[in-house]
Amino acid sequence: MSTRYPFTAVVGMDDLRLALLLNAVSPAVGGVLVRGEKGTAKSTAVRALAELLPAVPVVAGCRFSCDPASPDPGCPDGPHEAGPGAERPARMVELPVGASEDRLVGSLDIEKALAEGVKAFEPGLLADAHRGILYVDEVNLLHDHLIDLLLDAAAMGFSNVEREGVSVRHAARFLLVGTMNPEEGELRPQLLDRFGLTVEVAASRDPEQRVEVVRRRLAFEDDPAAFAARWADEEAELRGRIVAARALLPQVTLGDAVLLQIAATCAAFEVDGMRADIVMARTATALAAWAGRTGVTSEDVRQAALLALPHRRRRSPFDAPGLDEDKLDETLEQFKGEDPDPDPEPDGPDDGGPGDGGPGDGGPGGGGPDGGGIPPQGDGPAPEDVPAPEEAPVPEPAPQRAGAGERAAVKAAEPFRTKVLSVPGLGEGAAGRRSRARTEHGRTTGSTRPRGALTKLHLAATVQAAAPHQKARGRTGRGLVVRRDDLRQATREGREGNLVLFAVDASGSMAARQRMSAVKGAVLSLLLDAYQRRDKVGLVTFRGRDAEVALPPTSSVDAAAARLEQLPTGGRTPLSAGLLKAHDVLRVERLRDPSRRPLLVVVTDGRATGGRAAGDPVALAARAARLHAAEGTASVVVDCETGPVRLGLAGRLALELGGTAVTLDELRADAIAGLVRDVQTGHAGHAAQTNRRAA
C-alpha cells in the first residue's frame, strides 16, 4: 500500500483544510467543492484526509459496510443481527471521469436474473464509499447523468438500482468531495448548490512558502515512509481532535439570535431556496464543535457564510463566485443579538482552525501542502495532481487596445434566451443537450447484438431471441434458458454536446456602438445557451486584413465571454479570412475529437471588403464558404444588417455555407420563426441549389 502525503504537512490552504475537517466532523455539512488552477495540490489534500478519519466498525462479510450497532434492514447482504462486528480503515473511493453508470451504482448479472430468477448484484462505487469519502477529480467534466445519480445518493443517503424489473436499494452515506479547474468549464448552478461548501485555491506568490512546498515535496518523494513518520505525531493529534469534535457535536446548540443571523445573511445575498440556510447552520455547529465549544458565535456564522454561500450567489454562469465581506459584516452586525456565553476556549488555537499554529500551519510544526500543496492558498504541483488536459489551456485574456482605425470595446447588451441551434442528423458525441445522438441514456429506439460487454439489456428482444430455442435446449424449469448469443443491447437516443465555433465580424461596418453592443449581447446569449447544453465553444474574429483565433475550442464559456467583452472593432472586412480560419480550427478539432460534431455560427452583416488575399473579396468569401458546405458543417449566419435598406448579403453567405440565416430579432426564443427547422431546410435548400448549378 502506497504512503499518502500527510494532511498536516500541507503548506497553507487554510480554507481548504478547514472545510475538509468540518466535513470530517459533521458529514451532514454536505461535502466540499474545491475550485482552483492546476497544480495546487487539491487532490493531495483530499487524499490525505482519509488517513485522519477514525476506523469504521462494519458487519463482517457485508459488502455494503453496515454498522453492526444498527445494521440496514434493507441491506442486500442482510438481514444482519446486531453484534460486535469488525473494524476497517475509512475508505476514500475515487470516481474516474470516464466511469460508466454501472461502475458507479453497481451492475446486475442479467444472465442469472433471466435464467435463475435471482438478484445477482455487484456493488458499485457508491456502496464502496458508504461511511467513507467519495472523491471526484475534475467533477465539472463528469457526465451529467452520473452527477445526477451521485448527488441524489448524497442527498438521500441511499442508492436505488432499477434495471429491467430488478430492484436493489442500499445505504450510501459518504463525504462527497469534488475538485475542478474552472478553466475547463463550470458546473451548472443546480449542481453547485448540492455541494455543502466551496473553496477557492491558488498557488501562493510568497517565494518562501513556495520554497517550503518544494522542499517538502522532494523530501516526500525521496522517502515517503520517513517523511510520513516525521508528521506522525501531528497526524495523531489531529485525528484525536476530529474524534473529540464528533463526540461534542450533539451537544452544540444554535440560539435564536444565531439562526436569525443565518437567515438574514442568506436573504441579503439572495440565494435560492433554503439549502444554504441549512448548510450554514450545520457548518456553524461544526465550527463550534471543532473549537471545543457548545455554543455557536457570530464569528462561526461569518466563517460558515464564507464557505457555504459564494457558489450559491452566482446569478449567471459568468458571475465569478465570491462574497462581499463588507456586506456580510454589515448584515451580521445589523442582526446581532445576544449570543449565549460560549464555553471557555480549550487550550490551543483561538478558533480551532487549521491555520492558527496548530497542525496544518506552514513551518516544521504545522501543515502546509507539501509535495503537492502550495502555500497559504495553494500547493506545489504534485505529479498526480496535474491532469492531462483534454484541450489546450486557456491563457489569461490580455486587454486589447484599439489601434488606428479601431474603436474601443463596447459593453454587451443584456443577454436573452435564444432559439435552439442544433446539428441535423444523428451523432455519437459526448453527452449533452443540443443535438440528437446515440447515447447510453435516453429513449429506447431498438436493439442490436452487443459488441462487447452488455450494458443496457433490451429485455423483450432478448426473450424473443431465446424463445424459439427453448425446446432444443431442453428447458424443464420455470427459468428461461438464455445463452450469450440471445442477449440484445438496447439502442438509445438522447442528446449530445457539440463544438459551437463563433466567427464574429469585428470590422468597421459593425463598429457602430449600439449595433456592436447588440451583436455582443446576441453572442453572449448563445454562449449562455452553449453553457447550459454542455458544449465546447471557440471564437474566431476577423477585422482589418486578417482573422485570428481569439479563443481555441474549450469547455470554458467564461473564457469566451471574457474575450468577447474585450473585442474592439474597426477596419475592413476580411470575411474570407474569417471563414478560412474557422475551417482550419474545425479541421484540427475533427482530428482531436472526431465524435464531436461542429456547429459554425457566423455573426456578420455579410459584407466582404478586403483582406490579405488578392482577388474579389466577395468571390473569395463564397469560395471559403463552400469549403464548409463540402464537409457538411452545420452553419448558421446571424445577420447583423440593420436599417431600412437591406442588401441581403448574409442570406447569400448562408446559401453558400449550406446553412440558414437568422436576424438578431429572430434569434430570440420568443420569435415566430422556427430556427431548428430552418437550419435543416437550409441544408436541403443548399443541396437543391447545388443540383441546379450542376444541371
Side-chain angles (χ1 to χ4, degrees):
M1 181 176 178
S2 60
T3 302
R4 284 179 177 156
Y5 191 82
F7 188 86
T8 51
V10 174
V11 177
M13 300 204 302
D14 294 345
D15 287 345
L16 171 57
R17 288 183 285 121
L18 178 59
L20 291 172
L21 290 169
L22 292 177
N23 274 273
V25 171
S26 175
V29 166
V32 185
L33 175 65
V34 188
R35 297 164 46 92
E37 58 201 22
K38 55 185 176 294
T40 50
K42 302 184 295 291
S43 299
T44 295
V46 174
R47 293 188 178 103
L49 178 67
E51 299 296 325
L52 297 176
L53 299 182
V56 178
V58 296
V59 174
C62 178
R63 297 175 297 167
F64 300 88
S65 301
C66 281
D67 187 346
S70 57
D72 180 6
C75 176
D77 282 357
H80 304 300
E81 294 184 2
E87 281 194 347
R88 63 160 175 79
R91 292 174 180 160
M92 194 198 75
V93 177
E94 294 194 40
L95 173 61
V97 169
S100 65
E101 181 179 337
D102 288 343
R103 184 73 184 99
L104 177 63
V105 301
S107 59
L108 298 171
D109 189 327
I110 298 298
E111 293 186 54
K112 283 189 177 181
L114 288 174
E116 303 174 24
V118 298
K119 298 179 182 179
F121 180 68
E122 183 65 28
L125 295 177
L126 290 180
D128 292 343
H130 180 46
R131 305 176 68 198
I133 300 174
L134 183 61
Y135 172 48
V136 189
D137 195 14
E138 306 297 341
V139 64
N140 51 325
L141 303 182
L142 200 65
H143 290 318
D144 283 353
H145 70 279
L146 292 182
I147 292 180
D148 293 338
L149 290 170
L150 175 65
L151 295 181
D152 283 345
M156 296 185 295
F158 59 84
S159 174
N160 274 328
V161 185
E162 304 284 348
R163 299 292 172 84
E164 276 67 41
V166 183
S167 177
V168 175
R169 170 175 169 163
H170 64 83
R173 293 184 295 275
F174 46 81
L175 167 56
L176 177 62
V177 182
T179 58
M180 60 174 284
N181 182 350
E183 288 182 350
E184 296 170 341
E186 285 284 359
L187 280 173
R188 301 197 314 272
Q190 306 94 300
L191 303 182
L192 278 172
D193 185 55
R194 300 296 288 271
F195 283 94
L197 310 179
T198 187
V199 177
E200 296 277 338
V201 297
S204 172
R205 300 297 182 252
D206 182 348
E208 292 185 3
Q209 286 189 326
R210 296 179 76 99
V211 167
E212 184 62 23
V213 168
V214 175
R215 181 182 292 120
R216 295 187 188 185
R217 187 66 201 184
L218 294 178
F220 175 74
E221 291 176 349
D222 288 342
D223 192 340
F227 185 85
R230 284 171 47 195
W231 297 90
D233 291 342
E234 286 83 352
E235 292 281 290
E237 180 182 344
L238 196 56
R239 190 178 297 111
R241 194 169 169 196
I242 292 173
V243 173
R246 282 188 173 186
L248 182 62
L249 186 65
Q251 303 173 38
V252 178
T253 58
L254 277 169
D256 289 342
V258 170
L259 285 172
L260 180 60
Q261 282 188 316
I262 291 173
T265 301
C266 293
F269 286 98
E270 299 180 352
V271 296
D272 297 327
M274 295 297 298
R275 184 175 285 120
D277 304 62
I278 297 170
V279 171
M280 273 190 65
R282 289 171 174 166
T283 305
T285 303
L287 280 162
W290 180 247
R293 292 185 267 101
T294 58
V296 177
T297 67
S298 293
E299 185 57 34
D300 294 331
V301 176
R302 186 181 192 279
Q303 183 65 61
L306 293 174
L307 294 172
L309 295 188
H311 59 303
R312 292 186 166 91
R313 60 150 295 277
R314 290 167 57 120
R315 311 312 298 174
S316 82
F318 304 134
D319 290 339
L323 215 61
D324 185 340
E325 295 194 34
D326 291 338
K327 180 178 180 180
L328 173 61
D329 291 336
E330 290 174 6
T331 303
L332 293 175
E333 184 63 30
Q334 180 182 354
F335 290 90
K336 186 175 183 179
E338 292 297 325
D339 289 325
D341 289 337
D343 294 341
E345 294 289 348
D347 293 338
D350 290 341
D351 66 3
D356 293 322
D361 270 353
D370 105 347
I374 274 201
Q377 298 176 337
D379 237 336
E384 69 272 17
D385 290 336
V386 183
E390 61 172 340
E391 54 201 28
V394 180
E396 286 296 322
Q400 300 184 35
R401 296 182 178 179
E406 293 182 354
R407 302 186 185 183
V410 299
K411 186 176 178 62
E414 191 69 21
F416 52 84
R417 189 165 64 90
T418 67
K419 283 188 175 294
V420 179
L421 304 174
S422 65
V423 178
L426 194 64
E428 295 182 343
R433 293 186 176 82
R434 184 170 297 279
S435 305
R436 295 173 54 221
R438 297 182 186 91
T439 61
E440 286 291 318
H441 302 271
R443 63 185 181 90
T444 301
T445 58
S447 64
T448 184
R449 291 179 181 272
R451 297 178 182 176
L454 181 72
T455 55
K456 296 289 182 182
L457 178 75
H458 194 296
L459 184 59
T462 299
V463 172
Q464 187 175 9
H469 308 291
Q470 296 306 295
K471 185 176 181 180
R473 293 174 183 174
R475 174 186 170 186
T476 57
R478 296 177 58 189
L480 195 66
V481 181
V482 180
R483 294 180 180 173
R484 173 69 188 177
D485 291 344
D486 300 328
L487 299 179
R488 295 294 182 269
Q489 175 85 19
T491 56
R492 302 193 175 192
E493 182 178 310
R495 293 279 168 177
E496 67 177 0
N498 298 110
L499 166 59
V500 182
L501 181 63
F502 295 92
V504 179
D505 183 352
S507 63
S509 63
M510 303 281 288
R513 183 169 295 274
Q514 189 173 9
R515 183 179 182 187
M516 195 61 195
S517 177
V519 168
K520 285 188 175 183
V523 177
L524 186 63
S525 303
L526 290 168
L527 284 172
L528 282 166
D529 183 67
Y531 167 81
Q532 294 164 351
R533 299 184 188 281
R534 309 294 286 176
D535 295 314
K536 292 178 69 174
V537 295
L539 180 63
V540 171
T541 63
F542 52 96
R543 59 189 171 88
R545 301 184 62 193
D546 212 343
E548 65 175 351
V549 180
L551 182 73
T554 175
S555 296
S556 176
V557 294
D558 296 50
R563 294 293 199 280
L564 180 70
E565 193 68 28
Q566 296 177 355
L567 179 66
T569 57
R572 309 192 74 181
T573 311
L575 180 56
S576 62
L579 294 173
L580 289 174
K581 183 68 72 174
H583 183 268
D584 290 342
V585 171
L586 294 179
R587 176 178 55 80
V588 172
E589 284 302 306
R590 283 191 180 98
L591 296 175
R592 296 179 60 186
D593 191 357
S595 64
R596 189 181 291 268
R597 297 187 295 164
L599 174 64
L600 176 63
V601 179
V602 184
V603 184
T604 182
D605 56 11
R607 289 183 172 86
T609 59
R612 293 185 182 277
D616 179 12
V618 176
L620 291 173
R623 186 184 306 168
R626 288 194 288 271
L627 288 176
H628 290 280
E631 295 183 352
T633 302
S635 305
V636 176
V637 178
V638 179
D639 185 358
C640 302
E641 192 174 27
T642 57
V645 179
R646 295 175 179 265
L647 302 179
L649 299 176
R652 297 178 197 173
L653 175 63
L655 285 176
E656 296 291 354
L657 284 167
T660 188
V662 56
T663 65
L664 290 174
D665 290 337
E666 292 170 341
L667 189 62
R668 294 179 178 272
D670 54 359
I672 297 175
L675 190 56
V676 174
R677 182 195 60 200
D678 287 346
V679 172
Q680 296 174 346
T681 56
H683 278 270
H686 176 74
Q689 182 189 51
T690 303
N691 292 336
R692 287 196 300 272
R693 286 176 179 172

